[in-house]
Amino acid sequence: MTKEQIITNGLTSTEVKKLQQKYGKNELIPNQKQSFLKKVIHIICEPMFLLLLLAAVIYFILGEPRDGAVMLIFVVGVISIDVIQEWKTDKTLNALKDLSEPNITVIRDGKEILIASIDLVPGDLMIITEGIKIPADGEILKASDLCIDESSLTGEAEGVWKTTIENSEFSTGYWRNDYCYAGTLVIQGSAYVLVDKIGLSTEYGKIGNDVASAPEKPTQLQKQTGSLVKLWSGIAAVLFILVGIITYFNISDHEFKDRIIESILSGITLAMAMIPEEFPVILTVFLSMGAWRLAKKKSLVRRLPSVETLGAVSVLCVDKTGTITMNKMTVCDTWSFNKEDNKLCLCEIMGLACETDAYDPMEKAMLNYCENLGILKNHLFGGELITEYAFTNELKMMGHVWKHDGEIIIAAKGSPERILTICNLSEKELKLTEDKIIDMSKRGLRVIAVGEMHVQNESEIPTKLTDCTLTLSGLIGLADPPRKSVKEDIYHCTRAGVRVVMITGDNGITASSIAKQVGMPNSENIITGDELNNMSDEELRKRVKEVSIFSRVVPEHKMRIVRAFKDNGEIVAMTGDGVNDAPALKYADIGIAMGKHGSEVSREAADLILMDDNFSVIVDTIKDGRRIYDNIRKAMGYVFTIHIPIAFASLLAPMLKISSVSLFLLPIHVVLLELIIDPTCSIVLERQPAEYDIMERAPRNSNEKILKAGTLVKSILQGIVVFVASFGMYFIILNKGIKNPEIARSMGLVIIMLANLFLVQVNSSDSVFVLQSMKYLIKDKIMWVVNIGTILGILIILYTPLNVFLKLAPLNIGQFLLSFGIAGVSVLWYEVVKFIKKIYSRIQ
Ligand code: ADP
Ligand code: MG
């Protein structure tokens, strides 16, 4: 096949299939999947399991195989719950990963299509453009202005210019300049590349392995959870020994062997009640489920801990164009400099200064406007394009040199500040123009100046736009209206203590006018790019305390802006879409990339990718981040609360010299309760809705402890009351009532299980009363399943033959209702506390 044929057709689908079978996936880092068996082994090695197994073994030794078998059945139950949970988390995380996989455009079957980079095969023809990270090694067939950053491979910071093999001079080094390498970055231009090597056979694949697998540092939350687990395990260990010793001395009338076994058994019961296995589970489950929920709302989380950071964001830096505004431009005003000249002439020059195939919304608007005036494209671009002056962020202007009917015209357009410096204007004319610019800008319009220059022959064309001397044609005012919901969103951010900072390449007056339109506080204060250049970091740090608008900035400024805020102790989220935005996105606490029009490099540097480049989604995401953090906090508090009655009961029983057959909680009952606690955390508490005032309080301090003293006191108090209720009931029935340990135990157990349901409802909000929060919980099907499921579970363990195995007994209606009532009272008292708190805060 000739080169032209390859370029137009690419591979066929049948060829692709064969090549895929032969070469496999294009993975730079092999995907290591943990086998199912390994996972199960991992779970079995957890202390909870070893304790369960130990308890089962002891029962068998004691000659009570029935109890041993029941324990083993529970082992299977707990394993299944853990496996299901891990499987679900894995599935969620993999689905998220697939969503943020990089794509690449290839030509297959003669058509341009977008495929996942992982599906590339050798022989594929890929099209690379600015901002793309090259996914495979390949030979360059056709290139225009192609410049590549190969620092990830060669360490060379300077961009490398690439050409095709015919144009390449003999190159001696290892790295060829007619070839592209996986893992490198297109910083300019575009090319057609014939894929040669994929996956681990690429240069990057050969060396990149260990680079990619650098471990991530644990976050605040992970560290705190770690120390919580350690503390808790320490306490458990001490109590384990204590309970064992006490039991040993309590039953001095037993044989030595029995004494040892009994004391180990009561120690195990306590240890099982105290193992803090829930804490790390809460973290992974809540964060991954949170990320999943965010993905459904079109914001993709690339690093899990970002979910937690989101809730602490205090400064939100956004690009104006496209994020705050719609990026749908229309020309709404024109002003021709020369009165006799009419609008048509101005617009013709404007049109000539646009790209012939415009993709920039502003240029599209300009060409549209021309069309409406009857200046059609085939007339406009009918001449010969001799050369062009490219637009750069620093220059902020551009121009085209056209030859029309033998006449050479240089048409230029750009930001007025820059265009006016190369125009030949008298002082008076300059003043007149500047007044007009201010006038337009104040209306929130983006003002573009248009200028022209005529030369006699091609040798007189200046090499740089800045060397031209233009005649001013006039000014164009373009409107880019703010997105509909932005005003409301900014209002919510301000109430939530999140400062919105606007960053734009537009001029200050325009920016300030838009800022005012969307209700940004302090919209008169502006820092311009030039001021920024002349400012020291320290000065900038002081200024950003008040100023929220940055105008006429280039992407490189963003890094300094983020740094200034971070140095002030803020948690910064920042949006960006260009290649040059990547460093700032990485540096920000939350880098936000645009999924629709952002470059791949920016997406890779970001923590969050917005599939829909919309400001509202960012605000929603912050709100969700707060909700998820709240729920983690509530769940950790809940774990404290619910373990107190269990742990205290196993601790107190031997001290009260209760005989081993009539103990409140035997190991099976502890496991039974654990089987309820896990799903309560990972299903029920995970899906708690946001509190009504979640966006009315200031962002949390990022150094704040997950369990604050207040939460801890509340959890412990609640736990103690439930303990008193359940253990008290059991104890009274055992000693004064019907003296039946099975009945006493059943009542106590029912109290804990029902109190568990009430706890979730009461702690659903710190301030709103249960009846109010029930309103939205009532609509939630899962809540119903859990509530009815628990009650059904209680009925089954009490009233079916299972009760014999579980050492429980059926309760009569009176006993059941009494337990129900006591469970309610033991938790609902907290409503009174909420009420008192409310009155107290009103008085203040
Ligand atoms: P923003 O950051 O708001 O998207 P840009 O960086 O795209 O702004 O543009 C900054 C300024 O550069 C604009 O206000 C305008 O003056 C000028 N400019 C942008 N695009 C063009 C273009 N295609 N032709 C001429 N001037 C342009
Ligand atoms: Mg722009």
Side-chain angles (χ1 to χ4, degrees), residues 763-803:
N763 289 340
S764 166
S765 165
D766 287 336
S767 52
V768 172
F769 296 117
V770 147
L771 283 178
Q772 276 160 290
S773 44
M774 286 277 269
K775 263 187 226 148
Y776 41 48
L777 293 180
I778 245 170
K779 290 184 209 129
D780 190 349
K781 281 194 203 104
I782 302 282
M783 289 308 270
W784 281 104
V785 171
V786 170
N787 284 336
I788 293 177
T790 308
I791 292 176
L792 270 182
I794 292 176
L795 296 180
I796 289 172
I797 57 173
L798 289 185
Y799 299 104
T800 64
L802 269 184
N803 57 19

Short mmCIF file of all heavy atoms in Angstrom, two decimals, residues 763-803:
data_model
loop_
_atom_site.label_atom_id
_atom_site.label_comp_id
_atom_site.label_asym_id
_atom_site.label_seq_id
_atom_site.Cartn_x
_atom_site.Cartn_y
_atom_site.Cartn_z
N ASN A 763 -29.57 10.20 64.11
CA ASN A 763 -28.30 10.83 63.76
C ASN A 763 -28.21 11.24 62.30
O ASN A 763 -27.17 11.68 61.83
CB ASN A 763 -27.14 9.90 64.10
CG ASN A 763 -26.97 9.78 65.60
OD1 ASN A 763 -27.43 10.65 66.35
ND2 ASN A 763 -26.35 8.73 66.06
N SER A 764 -29.31 11.07 61.59
CA SER A 764 -29.35 11.51 60.20
C SER A 764 -29.05 13.00 60.09
O SER A 764 -28.51 13.48 59.12
CB SER A 764 -30.72 11.19 59.62
OG SER A 764 -30.91 11.85 58.42
N SER A 765 -29.42 13.74 61.13
CA SER A 765 -29.08 15.16 61.13
C SER A 765 -28.72 15.60 62.54
O SER A 765 -29.23 15.06 63.50
CB SER A 765 -30.28 15.98 60.64
OG SER A 765 -30.07 17.33 60.97
N ASP A 766 -27.82 16.56 62.61
CA ASP A 766 -27.40 17.05 63.93
C ASP A 766 -28.42 18.01 64.53
O ASP A 766 -28.42 18.26 65.72
CB ASP A 766 -26.06 17.78 63.83
CG ASP A 766 -24.93 16.80 63.63
OD1 ASP A 766 -25.11 15.62 64.02
OD2 ASP A 766 -23.89 17.19 63.07
N SER A 767 -29.27 18.59 63.67
CA SER A 767 -30.16 19.62 64.20
C SER A 767 -31.62 19.40 63.83
O SER A 767 -32.51 19.81 64.54
CB SER A 767 -29.71 20.98 63.69
OG SER A 767 -29.57 20.93 62.30
N VAL A 768 -31.87 18.72 62.70
CA VAL A 768 -33.25 18.55 62.28
C VAL A 768 -33.88 17.38 63.03
O VAL A 768 -33.23 16.37 63.27
CB VAL A 768 -33.30 18.29 60.76
CG1 VAL A 768 -34.70 17.93 60.32
CG2 VAL A 768 -32.82 19.52 60.03
N PHE A 769 -35.15 17.53 63.41
CA PHE A 769 -35.81 16.47 64.18
C PHE A 769 -36.12 15.27 63.30
O PHE A 769 -36.31 15.39 62.10
CB PHE A 769 -37.09 17.01 64.81
CG PHE A 769 -36.81 18.09 65.80
CD1 PHE A 769 -37.29 19.37 65.59
CD2 PHE A 769 -36.03 17.84 66.92
CE1 PHE A 769 -37.01 20.38 66.49
CE2 PHE A 769 -35.74 18.85 67.82
CZ PHE A 769 -36.24 20.13 67.60
N VAL A 770 -36.20 14.12 63.99
CA VAL A 770 -36.44 12.86 63.29
C VAL A 770 -37.64 12.93 62.36
O VAL A 770 -37.60 12.50 61.22
CB VAL A 770 -36.62 11.74 64.32
CG1 VAL A 770 -37.60 10.71 63.84
CG2 VAL A 770 -35.30 11.09 64.62
N LEU A 771 -38.74 13.51 62.86
CA LEU A 771 -39.95 13.51 62.04
C LEU A 771 -39.73 14.23 60.73
O LEU A 771 -40.25 13.84 59.70
CB LEU A 771 -41.10 14.16 62.82
CG LEU A 771 -41.70 13.24 63.87
CD1 LEU A 771 -42.80 13.95 64.65
CD2 LEU A 771 -42.24 11.96 63.24
N GLN A 772 -38.91 15.30 60.78
CA GLN A 772 -38.64 16.04 59.54
C GLN A 772 -37.74 15.24 58.61
O GLN A 772 -38.00 15.16 57.42
CB GLN A 772 -37.97 17.38 59.86
CG GLN A 772 -38.97 18.47 60.20
CD GLN A 772 -38.28 19.58 60.95
OE1 GLN A 772 -37.89 19.39 62.10
NE2 GLN A 772 -38.11 20.72 60.30
N SER A 773 -36.67 14.66 59.18
CA SER A 773 -35.76 13.94 58.28
C SER A 773 -36.39 12.65 57.76
O SER A 773 -36.03 12.16 56.71
CB SER A 773 -34.40 13.67 58.94
OG SER A 773 -34.56 13.22 60.24
N MET A 774 -37.37 12.12 58.52
CA MET A 774 -38.09 10.95 58.04
C MET A 774 -38.76 11.23 56.71
O MET A 774 -38.93 10.34 55.89
CB MET A 774 -39.17 10.53 59.05
CG MET A 774 -38.64 9.87 60.28
SD MET A 774 -38.33 8.14 60.02
CE MET A 774 -39.91 7.47 60.52
N LYS A 775 -39.14 12.50 56.51
CA LYS A 775 -39.89 12.85 55.30
C LYS A 775 -39.16 12.43 54.04
O LYS A 775 -39.75 11.87 53.13
CB LYS A 775 -40.15 14.36 55.28
CG LYS A 775 -41.53 14.71 55.80
CD LYS A 775 -41.79 16.18 55.60
CE LYS A 775 -42.37 16.79 56.87
NZ LYS A 775 -41.97 18.18 57.07
N TYR A 776 -37.84 12.74 53.98
CA TYR A 776 -37.21 12.26 52.75
C TYR A 776 -36.68 10.84 52.84
O TYR A 776 -36.51 10.18 51.85
CB TYR A 776 -36.17 13.21 52.16
CG TYR A 776 -35.22 13.92 53.06
CD1 TYR A 776 -34.52 13.25 54.05
CD2 TYR A 776 -35.00 15.27 52.89
CE1 TYR A 776 -33.63 13.93 54.86
CE2 TYR A 776 -34.10 15.94 53.68
CZ TYR A 776 -33.43 15.27 54.67
OH TYR A 776 -32.54 15.93 55.45
N LEU A 777 -36.47 10.39 54.05
CA LEU A 777 -36.03 9.00 54.16
C LEU A 777 -37.16 8.05 53.76
O LEU A 777 -36.94 6.96 53.25
CB LEU A 777 -35.58 8.72 55.60
CG LEU A 777 -34.34 9.47 56.03
CD1 LEU A 777 -33.98 9.14 57.46
CD2 LEU A 777 -33.17 9.15 55.11
N ILE A 778 -38.39 8.52 53.97
CA ILE A 778 -39.55 7.68 53.67
C ILE A 778 -39.64 7.38 52.18
O ILE A 778 -40.15 6.35 51.76
CB ILE A 778 -40.82 8.40 54.21
CG1 ILE A 778 -41.41 7.57 55.33
CG2 ILE A 778 -41.84 8.61 53.12
CD1 ILE A 778 -42.50 8.28 56.07
N LYS A 779 -39.08 8.27 51.37
CA LYS A 779 -39.16 8.06 49.92
C LYS A 779 -38.08 7.10 49.43
O LYS A 779 -38.06 6.71 48.28
CB LYS A 779 -38.97 9.41 49.20
CG LYS A 779 -40.14 10.34 49.39
CD LYS A 779 -39.90 11.60 48.56
CE LYS A 779 -40.58 12.79 49.20
NZ LYS A 779 -39.68 13.94 49.38
N ASP A 780 -37.14 6.77 50.32
CA ASP A 780 -36.00 5.97 49.91
C ASP A 780 -36.29 4.48 50.08
O ASP A 780 -36.48 3.99 51.18
CB ASP A 780 -34.80 6.38 50.77
CG ASP A 780 -33.52 5.79 50.25
OD1 ASP A 780 -33.60 4.91 49.37
OD2 ASP A 780 -32.45 6.20 50.71
N LYS A 781 -36.34 3.77 48.95
CA LYS A 781 -36.69 2.34 48.99
C LYS A 781 -35.71 1.54 49.83
O LYS A 781 -36.10 0.67 50.60
CB LYS A 781 -36.71 1.77 47.56
CG LYS A 781 -37.96 2.12 46.80
CD LYS A 781 -38.05 1.24 45.54
CE LYS A 781 -38.91 1.92 44.50
NZ LYS A 781 -38.15 2.52 43.42
N ILE A 782 -34.42 1.86 49.68
CA ILE A 782 -33.40 1.09 50.39
C ILE A 782 -33.62 1.17 51.91
O ILE A 782 -33.45 0.19 52.63
CB ILE A 782 -31.99 1.62 50.04
CG1 ILE A 782 -31.75 1.53 48.54
CG2 ILE A 782 -30.93 0.90 50.82
CD1 ILE A 782 -31.41 0.16 48.04
N MET A 783 -34.02 2.36 52.38
CA MET A 783 -34.26 2.51 53.81
C MET A 783 -35.36 1.56 54.26
O MET A 783 -35.29 0.95 55.33
CB MET A 783 -34.69 3.94 54.14
CG MET A 783 -33.61 4.96 54.03
SD MET A 783 -32.16 4.53 54.94
CE MET A 783 -32.54 5.27 56.48
N TRP A 784 -36.38 1.44 53.43
CA TRP A 784 -37.47 0.53 53.76
C TRP A 784 -36.98 -0.90 53.81
O TRP A 784 -37.31 -1.64 54.73
CB TRP A 784 -38.59 0.66 52.73
CG TRP A 784 -39.45 1.86 52.98
CD1 TRP A 784 -39.44 3.04 52.30
CD2 TRP A 784 -40.41 2.00 54.01
NE1 TRP A 784 -40.35 3.91 52.85
CE2 TRP A 784 -40.96 3.29 53.90
CE3 TRP A 784 -40.86 1.15 55.03
CZ2 TRP A 784 -41.94 3.76 54.77
CZ3 TRP A 784 -41.84 1.61 55.89
CH2 TRP A 784 -42.37 2.92 55.76
N VAL A 785 -36.19 -1.26 52.82
CA VAL A 785 -35.68 -2.63 52.78
C VAL A 785 -34.90 -2.94 54.06
O VAL A 785 -35.09 -3.98 54.69
CB VAL A 785 -34.76 -2.82 51.55
CG1 VAL A 785 -34.04 -4.16 51.62
CG2 VAL A 785 -35.56 -2.70 50.27
N VAL A 786 -34.05 -1.96 54.47
CA VAL A 786 -33.23 -2.20 55.65
C VAL A 786 -34.09 -2.29 56.92
O VAL A 786 -33.94 -3.21 57.73
CB VAL A 786 -32.17 -1.09 55.80
CG1 VAL A 786 -31.48 -1.19 57.14
CG2 VAL A 786 -31.17 -1.18 54.67
N ASN A 787 -35.04 -1.37 57.06
CA ASN A 787 -35.87 -1.37 58.27
C ASN A 787 -36.72 -2.63 58.35
O ASN A 787 -36.76 -3.31 59.38
CB ASN A 787 -36.78 -0.14 58.29
CG ASN A 787 -36.01 1.11 58.66
OD1 ASN A 787 -34.97 1.01 59.31
ND2 ASN A 787 -36.47 2.26 58.24
N ILE A 788 -37.40 -2.93 57.25
CA ILE A 788 -38.27 -4.11 57.26
C ILE A 788 -37.41 -5.37 57.38
O ILE A 788 -37.75 -6.30 58.10
CB ILE A 788 -39.15 -4.15 55.99
CG1 ILE A 788 -40.12 -2.98 56.05
CG2 ILE A 788 -39.90 -5.46 55.88
CD1 ILE A 788 -41.00 -2.83 54.85
N GLY A 789 -36.26 -5.34 56.70
CA GLY A 789 -35.35 -6.50 56.77
C GLY A 789 -34.92 -6.78 58.20
O GLY A 789 -34.92 -7.93 58.64
N THR A 790 -34.56 -5.74 58.95
CA THR A 790 -34.12 -5.95 60.33
C THR A 790 -35.24 -6.55 61.15
O THR A 790 -35.04 -7.50 61.93
CB THR A 790 -33.70 -4.61 60.96
OG1 THR A 790 -32.76 -3.99 60.11
CG2 THR A 790 -33.09 -4.81 62.32
N ILE A 791 -36.46 -6.01 60.99
CA ILE A 791 -37.57 -6.52 61.79
C ILE A 791 -37.89 -7.97 61.42
O ILE A 791 -38.08 -8.82 62.29
CB ILE A 791 -38.80 -5.60 61.63
CG1 ILE A 791 -38.46 -4.26 62.30
CG2 ILE A 791 -40.03 -6.22 62.27
CD1 ILE A 791 -39.48 -3.20 62.16
N LEU A 792 -37.87 -8.26 60.12
CA LEU A 792 -38.08 -9.64 59.69
C LEU A 792 -37.01 -10.55 60.28
O LEU A 792 -37.32 -11.65 60.77
CB LEU A 792 -38.01 -9.74 58.16
CG LEU A 792 -39.33 -9.56 57.41
CD1 LEU A 792 -39.10 -9.72 55.91
CD2 LEU A 792 -40.35 -10.57 57.92
N GLY A 793 -35.76 -10.06 60.24
CA GLY A 793 -34.65 -10.83 60.80
C GLY A 793 -34.90 -11.16 62.26
O GLY A 793 -34.72 -12.29 62.71
N ILE A 794 -35.36 -10.14 63.01
CA ILE A 794 -35.63 -10.35 64.43
C ILE A 794 -36.72 -11.41 64.60
O ILE A 794 -36.59 -12.33 65.40
CB ILE A 794 -36.09 -9.03 65.09
CG1 ILE A 794 -34.91 -8.05 65.12
CG2 ILE A 794 -36.62 -9.27 66.49
CD1 ILE A 794 -35.26 -6.69 65.67
N LEU A 795 -37.78 -11.31 63.79
CA LEU A 795 -38.86 -12.28 63.90
C LEU A 795 -38.35 -13.69 63.61
O LEU A 795 -38.71 -14.65 64.29
CB LEU A 795 -40.00 -11.92 62.94
CG LEU A 795 -40.71 -10.59 63.25
CD1 LEU A 795 -41.83 -10.30 62.26
CD2 LEU A 795 -41.25 -10.58 64.69
N ILE A 796 -37.49 -13.79 62.59
CA ILE A 796 -36.98 -15.11 62.23
C ILE A 796 -36.12 -15.71 63.34
O ILE A 796 -36.32 -16.87 63.72
CB ILE A 796 -36.18 -15.04 60.91
CG1 ILE A 796 -37.14 -14.79 59.75
CG2 ILE A 796 -35.40 -16.34 60.66
CD1 ILE A 796 -36.47 -14.52 58.44
N ILE A 797 -35.22 -14.92 63.90
CA ILE A 797 -34.34 -15.52 64.91
C ILE A 797 -35.09 -15.80 66.21
O ILE A 797 -34.68 -16.64 67.00
CB ILE A 797 -33.08 -14.68 65.21
CG1 ILE A 797 -33.44 -13.27 65.64
CG2 ILE A 797 -32.14 -14.66 64.01
CD1 ILE A 797 -32.24 -12.47 66.10
N LEU A 798 -36.22 -15.12 66.42
CA LEU A 798 -36.96 -15.37 67.66
C LEU A 798 -37.99 -16.47 67.52
O LEU A 798 -38.14 -17.30 68.41
CB LEU A 798 -37.68 -14.10 68.13
CG LEU A 798 -36.83 -12.96 68.67
CD1 LEU A 798 -37.74 -11.85 69.17
CD2 LEU A 798 -35.92 -13.44 69.78
N TYR A 799 -38.70 -16.48 66.39
CA TYR A 799 -39.89 -17.32 66.33
C TYR A 799 -39.78 -18.53 65.41
O TYR A 799 -40.75 -19.18 65.12
CB TYR A 799 -41.11 -16.48 65.92
CG TYR A 799 -41.39 -15.37 66.92
CD1 TYR A 799 -41.06 -14.06 66.63
CD2 TYR A 799 -41.94 -15.67 68.17
CE1 TYR A 799 -41.29 -13.06 67.55
CE2 TYR A 799 -42.17 -14.67 69.11
CZ TYR A 799 -41.84 -13.35 68.79
OH TYR A 799 -42.06 -12.37 69.70
N THR A 800 -38.60 -18.82 64.89
CA THR A 800 -38.46 -20.06 64.11
C THR A 800 -37.54 -20.99 64.90
O THR A 800 -36.90 -20.55 65.84
CB THR A 800 -37.83 -19.79 62.73
OG1 THR A 800 -36.50 -19.32 62.95
CG2 THR A 800 -38.61 -18.77 61.93
N PRO A 801 -37.48 -22.24 64.47
CA PRO A 801 -36.61 -23.19 65.20
C PRO A 801 -35.16 -22.74 65.26
O PRO A 801 -34.38 -23.26 66.07
CB PRO A 801 -36.73 -24.48 64.38
CG PRO A 801 -38.02 -24.35 63.64
CD PRO A 801 -38.27 -22.91 63.43
N LEU A 802 -34.81 -21.78 64.45
CA LEU A 802 -33.44 -21.26 64.51
C LEU A 802 -33.08 -20.80 65.91
O LEU A 802 -31.92 -20.79 66.29
CB LEU A 802 -33.31 -20.05 63.57
CG LEU A 802 -32.89 -20.28 62.14
CD1 LEU A 802 -32.75 -18.94 61.44
CD2 LEU A 802 -31.57 -21.05 62.11
N ASN A 803 -34.10 -20.39 66.68
CA ASN A 803 -33.82 -19.81 68.00
C ASN A 803 -33.06 -20.78 68.90
O ASN A 803 -32.30 -20.36 69.75
CB ASN A 803 -35.10 -19.26 68.66
CG ASN A 803 -36.17 -20.33 68.80
OD1 ASN A 803 -35.88 -21.53 68.75
ND2 ASN A 803 -37.40 -19.88 68.97
#
